[in-house]
Amino acid sequence: MAGAGALLRQCPLLLPQNREGSVYEGFVTVQDRDFHIRILLPSDFQLKNARIQCSWCLKKVLHGYQQIVKQRLQHCSDLVSFMVELKTILEAALKNAQELHAPPPPEYYSYLVRDIETLGWNKVVYVDTGLNTIKLKGEDSCGRQHLITLKLNAKYPTEPPNCFVDFPVEFALSWIPQSSLIDIYNQFLAALESLKEFWNAMDEIDEKTWVLEPENPTRSATMRRIAIGNNVSINLEVDPRHPTMLPECYFLGADHVVNPLRTKLNNNMHLWDPDITLLQNLKEVLETDFPSRAVLEKTDFTMDCGICYAYRLDGAIPDQVCGDSRCGQPFHQACLVEWLQGLPSSRQSFNVIFGECPYCNKPISVKMSMKKL
Amino acid sequence: MQRTSRLKRELHLLTTEPPPGIMFWQNKNRMDDLRAQILGGANTPYDKGVFNLEVVVPERYPFEPPKIRFLTPIYHPNIDSAGRICLDVLRLPPKGAWRPSLNISTLLTSIQLLMSEPNPDDPLMADISSEYKYNKEVFIRNAKQWTEKYASQQNRASKTPDEEVTQCEASTPKESAISQKRKGNDMSRKGKKPCLDS
């Protein structure tokens, strides 16, 4: 039988147990591990009706792969090709299982604790229970605090941890298997120093101007939209590597205000002096001063009418309130009547209009004033 | 009556706390003719573009929605060559979804969202829409081209002198709007050629 020879080459440890060749027992070898297996073929030798008996460790490895094994049994013409398929499945299963469940070896912890002790526990802000995630804090020479998050894998220190930082540039870690946490920390501090100028420039802008966007800039944010006057603003995109150079900028606002500013920028561009700060340069080139944040008097909007946005309307106050407790939006009677009257979905009965609250869609009703009737 | 108090409040809010990427001001100090700018969002073909819009506030506002139109040509399935926008919150019920709980700021934010998420199933520009649906790469290329051509600040900066002249010539805002419209039509012809070729 040619099949027997091929099977012997593929699985030398799997042998027929009877003359008919309907029962095979032995071992299948994958990644230097032997798994005990017994295959029972039916009398017609059709693989799709075969039964496979596995040892407990083989069963564990194949857990979740039963469907695939069944499918392969259906499709394979003979035992040899099925065994080849089974080996492939086993290899994939073993690989996945290792990645999922392998706990880090004891050396991992000893290395890590030794490294943290050398570094100093006072630099550690956070450690998770599995000792896989560590947050370290660092300070640049201007006194700003920064964080670095390290996600370590089990192969530490042969493989570098994943580092997460709030930087405007990529933090490229150089790593050799002899490196340790201390090297990461020093590289982190060096990166902080190289970005110091950038953060100085951004801090000055955030402190002395009215930044419209982003609302709470992160350390990685290179964009700022600053107010120049009412309804005019400038959008800056600062290069973190060259923070004192002329940033990429464009203006927003009405043409008659923006055009003179643009002209000034174009004409004075050559005056840009990399030795003074970004904000000072902007002021000089645009020949303008930046207003500081306008104080928005946060009056209690909740008292005002949800339609006309005012409190008093012809002396009337918003006395119609949406009945839903989660909404509770007040309206002037006149405003609500005017809105509901225009809607085909509203219904009128005598002098009451039934409709929906324009804020929460819950039913609302309002009496039409006697004057209008 | 309601219009005045409401616009005053809205303008104040928009001045002090503008929504991200949106700029808004009164045109020639008129209450009912407003101008807005929307920045093209990052990761959209409109990135780095500054789009001008016209906001006309009708007499019955806030019981009727404001009329908003793009002045800057834009290549988008739901915006036609005259700048008209197909968006439900810009129309009155029962066909539309306008309600007085919305305001100019939320409408502009909705338009900004429409720019990043076109709605090809409710198209205004059938050809752009099918391009968006079935040939997205070409759509993105065309939209980028238009953004660079008509909405990028670099181009506008170089064109500034011309623009100033047309502004002086144009005595009424209507005229300038018409010239913009014409520009839009010209471009639509030019812009659509590449998609026929491909």
Side-chain angles (χ1 to χ4, degrees):
Chain A
M1 257 167 85
L7 186 66
L8 201 64
R9 247 172 283 134
Q10 198 54 244
C11 306
L13 298 179
L14 189 68
L15 295 169
Q17 301 297 303
N18 57 8
R19 269 180 190 281
E20 297 81 42
S22 63
V23 180
Y24 283 83
E25 188 167 357
F27 295 89
V28 52
T29 312
V30 179
Q31 287 178 359
D32 295 332
R33 285 176 68 181
D34 297 329
F35 296 98
H36 191 186
I37 192 169
R38 192 211 300 260
I39 301 168
L40 306 167
L41 295 170
S43 50
D44 58 355
F45 293 97
Q46 285 293 311
L47 262 182
K48 53 183 157 196
N49 297 323
R51 283 172 53 86
I52 297 179
Q53 295 173 340
C54 310
S55 66
W56 68 268
C57 30
L58 185 59
K59 204 171 171 180
K60 196 174 149 219
V61 173
L62 281 177
H63 179 77
Y65 291 85
Q66 285 99 326
Q67 270 308 329
I68 304 177
V69 174
K70 249 183 217 159
Q71 194 203 344
R72 294 291 188 275
L73 269 180
Q74 299 277 336
H75 292 295
C76 288
S77 53
D78 55 17
L79 190 61
V80 185
S81 54
F82 171 70
M83 289 314 292
V84 175
E85 294 283 357
L86 183 67
K87 275 183 160 179
T88 323
I89 296 172
L90 275 174
E91 256 166 49
L94 279 173
K95 211 165 135 202
N96 289 342
Q98 263 171 5
E99 275 167 19
L100 280 178
H101 301 296
E107 302 90 66
Y108 166 86
Y109 296 104
S110 52
Y111 277 129
L112 196 59
V113 170
R114 188 199 63 196
D115 281 355
I116 296 179
E117 262 165 14
T118 335
L119 187 67
W121 280 94
N122 58 339
K123 309 270 195 326
V124 179
V125 186
Y126 167 84
V127 182
D128 71 343
T129 47
L131 223 65
N132 294 317
T133 307
I134 302 174
K135 282 185 190 175
L136 303 173
K137 70 175 172 198
E139 209 171 75
D140 62 23
S141 55
C142 296
R144 281 178 289 254
Q145 288 239 341
H146 302 269
L147 287 181
I148 179 166
T149 306
L150 307 174
K151 292 224 188 291
L152 299 114
N153 61 20
K155 296 211 178 95
Y156 176 85
T158 7
E159 278 182 19
N162 288 327
C163 302
F164 301 92
V165 286
D166 191 14
F167 284 1
V169 291
E170 209 184 324
F171 178 54
L173 189 69
S174 66
W175 182 267
I176 49 168
Q178 288 78 37
S179 301
S180 68
L181 280 191
I182 295 109
D183 297 287
I184 300 183
Y185 194 72
N186 288 337
Q187 287 179 39
F188 174 58
L189 288 184
L192 289 183
E193 280 314 296
S194 72
L195 288 165
K196 186 179 76 177
E197 294 295 322
F198 168 73
W199 285 319
N200 283 346
M202 294 322 242
D203 276 355
E204 191 188 17
I205 288 175
D206 291 340
E207 200 176 301
K208 294 185 181 159
T209 70
W210 179 5
V211 175
L212 298 170
E213 263 180 80
E215 203 172 1
N216 294 308
T218 58
R219 289 273 170 228
S220 57
T222 55
M223 189 277 263
R224 292 291 188 279
R225 181 171 154 207
I226 317 172
I228 301 180
N230 269 355
N231 305 319
V232 188
S233 57
I234 181 169
N235 208 84
L236 304 175
E237 185 75 51
V238 182
D239 181 356
R241 296 280 178 218
H242 307 100
T244 55
M245 301 300 275
L246 178 66
E248 193 182 313
C249 47
Y250 52 94
F251 297 96
L252 294 165
D255 279 342
H256 64 95
V257 199
V258 161
N259 282 343
L261 284 169
R262 210 179 280 148
T263 316
K264 273 182 197 162
L265 177 68
N266 287 339
N267 293 345
N268 295 344
M269 216 181 260
H270 65 280
L271 296 175
W272 193 276
D273 178 4
D275 292 331
I276 57 173
T277 68
L278 177 70
L279 184 62
Q280 198 58 38
N281 263 317
L282 278 176
K283 278 184 191 170
E284 277 169 27
V285 168
L286 298 177
E287 298 166 12
T288 180
D289 216 347
F290 292 99
S292 51
R293 181 174 286 279
V295 204
L296 175 69
E297 70 279 21
K298 287 237 179 194
T299 46
D300 203 356
F301 289 131
T302 53
M303 293 294 293
D304 296 330
C305 169
I307 292 177
C308 72
Y309 285 14
Y311 186 66
R312 292 268 177 199
L313 180 76
D314 285 347
I317 61 164
D319 52 359
Q320 307 292 312
V321 177
C322 173
D324 191 275
S325 56
R326 282 165 300 180
C327 175
Q329 178 67 48
F331 304 98
H332 290 115
Q333 188 194 19
C335 294
L336 194 56
V337 167
E338 187 161 357
W339 170 245
L340 292 179
Q341 256 179 341
L343 289 182
S345 57
S346 302
R347 202 156 52 72
Q348 191 176 343
S349 166
F350 296 101
N351 64 338
V352 181
I353 303 184
F354 299 87
E356 290 171 352
C357 168
Y359 277 72
C360 70
N361 282 355
K362 291 275 155 36
I364 196 169
S365 61
V366 60
K367 261 188 189 166
M368 290 159 77
S369 61
M370 292 321 229
K371 260 192 298 181
K372 278 191 178 168
L373 281 174
Chain B
M1 174 166 68
Q2 281 98 335
R3 188 174 81 150
T4 325
S5 68
R6 184 151 157 153
L7 275 178
K8 240 164 79 185
R9 185 56 144 307
E10 283 198 44
L11 281 168
H12 178 71
L13 272 175
L14 275 159
T15 313
T16 43
E17 283 187 0
I22 288 169
M23 199 75 202
F24 190 68
W25 67 93
Q26 281 166 274
N27 190 28
K28 297 175 183 143
N29 277 332
R30 280 179 49 190
M31 260 294 195
D32 53 354
D33 188 12
L34 309 158
R35 290 284 182 272
Q37 276 177 339
I38 298 181
L39 293 189
N43 304 324
T44 72
Y46 313 109
D47 187 21
K48 301 256 185 262
V50 179
F51 295 86
N52 288 309
L53 295 102
E54 173 194 74
V55 182
V56 178
V57 184
E59 195 58 45
R60 272 184 37 85
Y61 185 77
F63 303 104
E64 274 175 21
K67 293 179 175 61
I68 305 185
R69 195 167 72 84
F70 271 84
L71 295 178
T72 309
I74 177 169
Y75 197 83
H76 189 285
N78 308 101
I79 300 162
D80 73 4
S81 51
R84 283 173 300 212
I85 307 161
C86 179
L87 188 64
D88 60 345
V89 285
L90 293 175
R91 305 176 68 187
L92 265 177
K95 279 185 178 169
W98 165 258
R99 44 171 75 205
S101 54
L102 301 169
N103 56 42
I104 297 172
S105 165
T106 53
L107 288 183
L108 289 171
T109 312
S110 307
I111 294 171
Q112 198 180 29
L113 189 68
L114 181 71
M115 284 169 69
S116 54
E117 300 273 337
N119 180 9
D121 297 323
D122 187 16
L124 202 53
M125 305 294 282
D127 39 355
I128 301 184
S129 186
S130 61
E131 194 176 280
Y132 177 84
K133 258 176 144 170
Y134 305 114
N135 207 348
K136 203 146 188 180
E137 273 172 34
V138 177
F139 165 78
I140 290 175
R141 201 169 56 224
N142 284 335
K144 271 189 183 158
Q145 241 171 31
W146 277 48
T147 307
E148 207 166 296
K149 209 164 175 186
Y150 307 109
S152 86
Q153 194 125 73
Q154 270 72 34
N155 282 353
R156 284 161 40 110
S158 58
K159 273 189 212 154
T160 313
D162 304 15
E163 270 184 10
E164 268 171 2
V165 172
T166 50
Q167 274 212 332
C168 297
E169 281 172 353
S171 49
T172 60
K174 245 187 191 170
E175 270 183 43
S176 64
I178 290 168
S179 71
Q180 284 273 12
K181 221 187 250 181
R182 234 176 271 139
K183 267 193 217 163
N185 287 338
D186 280 353
M187 286 170 311
S188 62
R189 245 173 276 135
K190 268 183 224 158
K192 267 163 209 157
K193 261 189 186 161
C195 79
L196 285 172
D197 293 342
S198 61

